[in-house]
Amino acid sequence: MTRREVILREMGLTPIWVNHPGVTEATVDELPAPMVATVVSPERSDEPEQSAADREAVIAGLTWDELVASIAACTACKLCNTRTNAVPGVGDRSPSWMVIGEAPGENEDKLGEPFVGKAGQLLDAMLVAVGKKRADGVYIANVIKCRPPGNRNPEPDEIAACTPYLKRQIALAQPKLLLAAGKFAAQTLLNRDDTVGAMRALPAASSQRDGVPIVVTYHPSYLLRSPLEKAKAWDDLMKAKALVA
Ligand code: URA
């Protein structure tokens, strides 16, 4: 498969039109329209499988708009069968802070935007409390771009399939700080299998990704269930603010 075909497929812009064998440009005008091109179905067995490494390499070269189109058309894991909308992310594409959550919930799935339900209202309030807004200096995304049915936890294969998108978002956004909201965001960004409590306590040198500091905090949904933990989340926001005003 050529690079062009891989990109088109990754962006969901297939089927690809190809010339019939033996049909030259000279003969095209003489043929009835349906004979000129053939639709290559993605199910055709002679089409080479795209490896995870090829897919990641393609995603790593996408522009913001191509990335959004690719996420919207993604069929890399089973969540594409149950989603209403994929939820790429929202906000400032050159942010100072990038907030990473877990996965879209019911409202996000309906609207195609992250953190629009109750947890989102709390996240917005937390951001406002430190002088930030989701559209201004902040980009918000999730580890997983499609809603897991019934809001179950994301599964390892889903995280693996979606991580190239998150990596590309971070590379394009070049934030000064990553705020990891909850276990799945922190584990994915830090590549660790620890609890939120343990990851919050990591020394600065171990809490970064390619030189970008990562502040781990509790997920807003957890804070709604455990409001006493809000004081710790406030500490995390203060820490983030001290790192990047
Ligand atoms: N929880 C998340 O982690 N992300 C959302 O977008 C909404 C709720």
Side-chain angles (χ1 to χ4, degrees):
M1 209 183 311
T2 64
R3 178 176 150 76
R4 176 177 165 274
E5 286 165 344
V6 172
I7 291 178
L8 290 173
R9 187 161 97 170
E10 189 50 46
M11 292 175 68
L13 299 179
T14 50
I16 299 165
W17 293 86
V18 296
N19 285 336
H20 266 290
V23 176
T24 62
E25 287 197 9
T27 58
V28 163
D29 288 344
E30 295 154 24
L31 292 167
M35 298 284 292
V36 175
T38 298
V39 175
V40 177
S41 150
E43 292 87 42
R44 269 176 59 153
S45 57
D46 57 355
E47 192 174 327
E49 271 297 304
Q50 188 185 24
S51 72
D54 280 353
R55 179 173 172 265
E56 178 152 4
V58 169
I59 291 173
L62 298 180
T63 65
W64 266 118
D65 289 343
E66 288 168 346
L67 187 65
V68 169
S70 175
I71 292 170
C74 181
T75 56
C77 83
K78 56 193 174 297
L79 296 180
C80 69
N81 298 320
T82 47
R83 72 173 177 229
T84 310
N85 290 296
V87 182
V90 73
D92 193 331
R93 287 180 172 185
S94 297
S96 145
W97 286 22
M98 188 158 172
V99 180
I100 314 294
E102 180 179 318
E106 189 180 1
N107 296 307
E108 291 78 17
D109 175 66
K110 274 189 198 140
L111 297 177
E113 183 171 328
F115 282 103
V116 290
K118 286 218 165 74
Q121 286 168 16
L122 177 56
L123 176 62
D124 284 341
M126 290 162 69
L127 291 172
V128 168
V130 286
K132 305 231 159 253
K133 278 199 225 141
R134 69 165 60 202
D136 184 11
V138 178
Y139 190 84
I140 303 175
N142 285 308
V143 172
I144 296 285
K145 314 303 186 200
C146 298
R147 182 189 182 206
N151 297 346
R152 64 158 168 75
N153 286 340
E155 292 174 356
D157 62 311
E158 297 159 358
I159 295 176
C162 234
T163 297
Y165 287 135
L166 182 60
K167 282 190 189 166
R168 185 60 185 153
Q169 285 178 309
I170 296 170
L172 285 166
Q174 298 194 302
K176 305 221 165 19
L177 178 119
L178 288 157
L179 184 68
K183 179 175 88 168
F184 288 97
Q187 289 184 341
T188 304
L189 291 174
L190 290 165
N191 200 18
R192 302 178 81 102
D193 195 16
D194 293 327
T195 62
V196 171
M199 290 185 281
R200 281 181 74 239
L202 284 172
S206 310
S207 197
Q208 50 93 21
R209 193 185 168 95
D210 300 330
V212 181
I214 299 172
V215 172
V216 174
T217 193
Y218 293 100
H219 192 283
S221 300
Y222 171 75
L223 296 174
L224 289 171
R225 294 192 303 272
S226 311
L228 290 180
E229 301 286 48
K230 281 186 186 169
K232 291 186 194 159
W234 178 249
D235 291 343
D236 300 332
L237 292 176
M238 290 296 106
K239 180 173 158 189
K241 204 171 172 190
L243 282 167
V244 182

